[in-house]
Amino acid sequence: MAAADELAFHEFEEATNLLAQTPNETTTRSDQLGPKGHVAVAMDSGGSYGAEDEVEESDKTELLQEEKPQPGFWTFGYYQSFFDVDTSQVLDRIKGSLLPRPGHNFVRHRLRNRPDLYGPFWICATLAFVLAITGNLTLVLAQRKDPSIHYSPQFHKVTVASITIYCYAWLVPLALWGFLRWRKGVRERMGLYTFLETVCVYGYSLFVFIPTVVLWLIPVPWLQWLFGALALALSAAGLVFTLWPIVREDTRLAAGVLLSVVVLLHTLLAMGCKFYFFQPLPPEPMASPHQATSQPPATMLPPTLPRSMAA
């Protein structure tokens, strides 16, 4: 009787419960018994039960990535990762810098902890060349209206614009990052962006000035100032909304001073570009014509005697 009972078909409680929950699944019997003599049942489907192999593969991939040595900062491979972005990502980050919104963090929503140097590098280069070209075109247009203005190509403006833009896009974020790092030691609850994230935020914030500089070619002063004020407001607002989640944990005085300095430096950059690159040269003084003939020296004529004395 014992042998007959062993050969009879038995219902397994665990298998019955799993099949009741997922009736469309198929089961496979495993010869390995559990610790209590139960039969292991494997669910084969496109659901979560069949994802064990994928989890194991992802774990292996993560382990291989961790075991792979990271290149040093002096090697080319270290900086190659910061230029590994596609066009859609760069356009998405440019769009985020042009349309800042309160409560929308540029670093968390756009960069997603993956800062790049490709966008900031080319934005600064484009802005420098556009500034130099439009500055020269402004003088050409001014000469057509006033022939007394003497124009000559000013190639040094390319150098001045490049040094100004790149120094601002690197030195100001470096100073800001250092200050926030120091304040984090004072206020432990404060967060901190990395240096490359700070550079990335400043680089993309300068994009709005590229179309603005082109619009400054319109010879209408009040319209130029309107475009400049709008671009400055958008760019500075993006910086303030990005920095606010970090500096709000600091004291009100420190947060207010920091944000005021950030906006002030941005304003000085915009006004400096406006006054330096878009002011026509004053007309050169007209040289006096050279006299071809020189006047003979004055000769003393003898005094004439009166007629009465001559007679």
Side-chain angles (χ1 to χ4, degrees):
M1 293 298 292
D5 293 337
E6 291 179 358
L7 294 176
F9 179 79
H10 296 276
E11 291 289 342
F12 297 96
E13 183 179 358
E14 294 178 357
T16 304
N17 294 334
L18 290 175
L19 289 176
Q21 294 177 1
T22 55
N24 296 327
E25 305 295 340
T26 60
T27 62
T28 59
R29 183 180 185 278
S30 177
D31 293 336
Q32 297 178 357
L33 298 178
K36 295 183 179 181
H38 298 291
V39 177
V41 178
M43 306 302 294
D44 185 11
S45 67
S48 61
Y49 293 104
E52 295 180 357
D53 294 338
E54 297 180 359
V55 173
E56 292 179 358
E57 292 180 358
S58 62
D59 292 341
K60 292 179 180 179
T61 304
E62 293 179 358
L63 290 175
L64 291 175
Q65 290 179 354
E66 292 178 358
E67 293 177 358
K68 185 178 179 180
Q70 296 294 332
F73 69 92
W74 59 86
T75 60
F76 180 78
Y78 177 80
Y79 299 96
Q80 186 177 4
S81 61
F82 300 117
F83 292 86
D84 188 14
V85 289
D86 54 16
T87 305
S88 61
Q89 290 177 339
V90 174
L91 292 179
D92 181 69
R93 295 173 181 184
I94 290 175
K95 179 181 177 181
S97 66
L98 292 176
L99 301 173
R101 291 180 296 172
H104 192 80
N105 194 328
F106 181 81
V107 175
R108 304 305 179 200
H109 294 83
R110 300 294 179 176
L111 299 185
R112 295 182 177 90
N113 297 327
R114 291 188 59 187
D116 70 287
L117 296 180
Y118 181 86
F121 175 81
W122 285 112
I123 288 174
C124 293
T126 305
L127 180 58
F129 279 99
V130 170
L131 270 174
I133 293 173
T134 52
N136 281 270
L137 289 177
T138 302
L139 298 178
V140 174
L141 297 177
Q143 186 183 20
R144 289 186 176 182
K145 292 184 178 182
D146 189 359
S148 61
I149 296 178
H150 177 69
Y151 166 74
S152 60
Q154 299 179 349
F155 297 104
H156 67 278
K157 286 187 175 181
V158 179
T159 306
V160 174
S162 301
I163 294 176
T164 303
I165 298 300
Y166 276 102
C167 287
Y168 179 82
W170 281 88
L171 296 182
V172 174
L174 177 61
L176 177 62
W177 175 77
F179 179 79
L180 291 177
R181 189 175 182 84
W182 171 69
R183 294 299 299 175
K184 181 177 175 60
V186 179
R187 309 279 295 186
E188 296 181 355
R189 294 182 58 187
M190 284 185 60
L192 181 65
Y193 296 142
T194 63
F195 172 65
L196 291 179
E197 287 176 344
T198 310
V199 172
C200 196
V201 170
Y202 265 83
Y204 280 102
S205 68
L206 296 176
F207 179 83
V208 68
F209 290 104
I210 296 178
T212 304
V213 167
V214 177
L215 292 175
W216 278 349
L217 289 174
I218 302 175
V220 181
W222 67 268
L223 196 58
Q224 292 178 350
W225 285 109
L226 179 61
F227 290 143
L230 180 61
L232 178 61
L234 291 176
S235 184
L239 293 176
V240 171
F241 293 157
T242 303
L243 295 175
W244 174 247
I246 292 181
V247 300
R248 67 182 177 184
E249 300 295 339
D250 205 341
T251 60
R252 291 185 178 181
L253 178 60
V257 170
L258 178 62
L259 295 180
S260 300
V261 171
V262 168
V263 175
L264 178 62
L265 292 177
H266 226 57
T267 305
L268 292 177
L269 176 68
M271 295 185 65
C273 293
K274 178 67 175 64
F275 285 117
Y276 181 80
F277 293 97
F278 293 91
Q279 287 297 325
L281 293 177
E284 292 186 352
M286 300 299 293
S288 58
H290 180 70
Q291 296 180 356
T293 58
S294 58
Q295 296 181 355
T299 56
M300 299 296 295
L301 297 178
T304 55
L305 298 175
R307 293 183 178 179
S308 59
M309 295 181 63

